Amino acid sequence: MYPSDLLHDVIRYGLVVSALLLALVCYGYGRGGAGRGYLWLSAAFMLDGLRHLLMIFLPPSMPLTLYVQFDLLARAFLLFSGVRLLGGGVLPATLRWLLPVVLGWLVWSHVFQQGESPWRDLPGTILLCSAYVLLAMFFWRERDRNQPLGFFLAATGALLLAVLCLAQPLARQSYWGVWHFSSFQMLYLTISGGLIMALYQSERLRADFA
């Protein structure tokens, strides 16, 4: 986890607002007729906002650390489920088996590896990165050929989220860790803006919402 000083808490406030905004946009898509999978995406981003909110107001503790680590799996599961519903397909067997495997790894590491472990979060992080990549692929397929900018921005933002998550273990220890941390907020806003733009650009989406 990133430290809980004033600068990081200010960034967390921004992350809470941007994550909840993105959750609200995805909720609007789901309620507007674009697909129930967006409701799962909304829940995933809402969980991320809740995570940062708890880290602002709760002191560092073992229960909070456990919640943050298992939150990776919960968000990955919601993102995978949302993309599956939106794409009309099923998750690859590899990804379906990875969720219980990573859950077992977390439980085992907490029971038999006391203290901090740099590898504990790695499987969950890779799983979440895979979910963001699948989300980016879905947005890319959904783009309008005549007005592609909206979903193109959403796809780019989701893909860069995967890159940021994968680089997070190293970024936390580097001098540019603050910039890395604040970049999540910018990408959430990019995806939100892209989805809002796509709504106004796409006649099909406007018809679904109507």
Side-chain angles (χ1 to χ4, degrees):
M1 292 188 296
Y2 283 95
S4 294
D5 52 37
L6 179 60
L7 176 59
H8 287 85
D9 283 346
V10 169
I11 296 174
R12 285 191 179 95
Y13 273 113
L15 281 169
V16 169
V17 173
S18 57
L20 293 181
L21 173 63
L22 180 51
L24 184 61
V25 172
C26 290
Y27 179 79
Y29 264 70
R31 295 289 293 177
R36 288 189 175 182
Y38 280 104
L39 299 179
W40 291 78
L41 302 183
S42 175
F45 293 116
M46 192 176 298
L47 270 183
D48 195 28
L50 175 63
R51 175 173 65 98
H52 291 295
L53 199 62
L54 292 177
M55 293 179 68
I56 292 173
F57 292 106
L58 296 182
S61 61
M62 179 56 69
L64 181 60
T65 301
L66 290 174
Y67 171 80
V68 170
Q69 291 172 347
F70 284 96
D71 171 76
L72 289 173
L73 298 186
R75 284 188 288 141
F77 171 76
L78 291 171
L79 289 172
F80 281 138
S81 301
V83 173
R84 180 185 63 84
L85 286 175
L86 292 170
V90 296
L91 290 178
T94 304
L95 293 178
R96 292 201 303 271
W97 281 105
L98 273 178
L99 281 169
V101 168
V102 174
L103 179 61
W105 163 259
L106 280 177
V107 173
W108 183 88
S109 62
H110 277 288
V111 172
F112 295 102
Q113 294 181 351
Q114 302 296 328
E116 292 292 330
S117 173
W119 306 105
R120 184 174 293 162
D121 295 340
L122 185 59
T125 300
I126 293 176
L127 200 63
L128 185 60
C129 291
S130 302
Y132 281 135
V133 170
L134 288 181
L135 182 61
M137 293 171 61
F138 166 75
F139 285 146
W140 178 258
R141 290 193 302 265
E142 285 295 297
R143 73 192 191 283
D144 191 329
R145 300 292 180 176
N146 298 320
Q147 301 283 350
L149 183 57
F151 275 117
F152 173 77
L153 287 176
T156 303
L159 186 61
L160 290 177
L161 277 177
V163 175
L164 284 182
C165 287
L166 198 59
Q168 186 165 317
L170 295 177
R172 280 199 297 252
Q173 309 299 327
S174 66
Y175 66 92
W176 52 278
V178 173
W179 300 103
H180 175 274
F181 191 34
S182 61
S183 297
F184 285 97
Q185 178 182 354
M186 180 188 68
L187 294 180
Y188 286 156
L189 295 176
T190 299
I191 298 174
S192 299
L195 292 177
I196 294 172
M197 184 182 298
L199 174 60
Y200 284 96
Q201 288 179 336
S202 173
E203 294 181 4
R204 178 179 59 82
L205 281 175
R206 289 200 300 271
D208 289 340
F209 273 70

